[in-house]
């Protein structure tokens, strides 16, 4: 979705959408958020590992 599409959907200017986007990216990149991002990535890894374990146990339990 482009900035133009978002602006039309929200009824605001493309420039405001772009400024908001830039501000959000700046905040996400802030060093003070490093620990928060690390926790998020660790949680995602745990979820993916659990899904893989479940998938493997389901596939391993099948008999043809």
């Amino acid at each position: 979705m482009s900035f133009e599409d978002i602006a039309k959907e929200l009824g605001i200017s493309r420039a405001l959408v772009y400024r908001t986007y830039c501000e959000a990216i700046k905040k996400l990149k802030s060093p003070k958020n490093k620990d928060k991002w690390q926790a998020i990535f660790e949680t995602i890894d745990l979820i993916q590992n659990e899904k893989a374990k479940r998938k493997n146990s389901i596939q391993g339990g099948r008999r043809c």
Side-chain angles (χ1 to χ4, degrees):
M1 192 171 229
S2 69
F3 293 129
E4 186 72 29
D5 294 337
I6 295 168
K8 284 180 184 177
E9 186 71 27
L10 297 175
I12 59 177
S13 72
R14 183 189 157 297
L16 180 57
V17 172
Y18 183 73
R19 282 194 309 265
T20 304
Y21 166 80
C22 290
E23 187 65 28
I25 293 299
K26 189 186 311 180
K27 287 181 180 182
L28 289 171
K29 288 181 176 182
S30 172
K32 69 181 180 181
N33 291 324
K34 180 183 175 190
D35 293 335
K36 293 175 187 175
W37 279 113
Q38 186 63 35
I40 290 168
F41 290 134
E42 288 172 0
T43 302
I44 290 170
D45 285 342
L46 287 172
I47 292 168
Q48 289 174 340
N49 289 339
E50 288 298 318
K51 284 183 180 180
K53 285 180 187 177
R54 283 190 215 133
K55 184 177 178 182
N56 289 337
S57 68
I58 291 171
Q59 288 178 349
R62 291 185 183 167
R63 295 187 178 144
C64 296

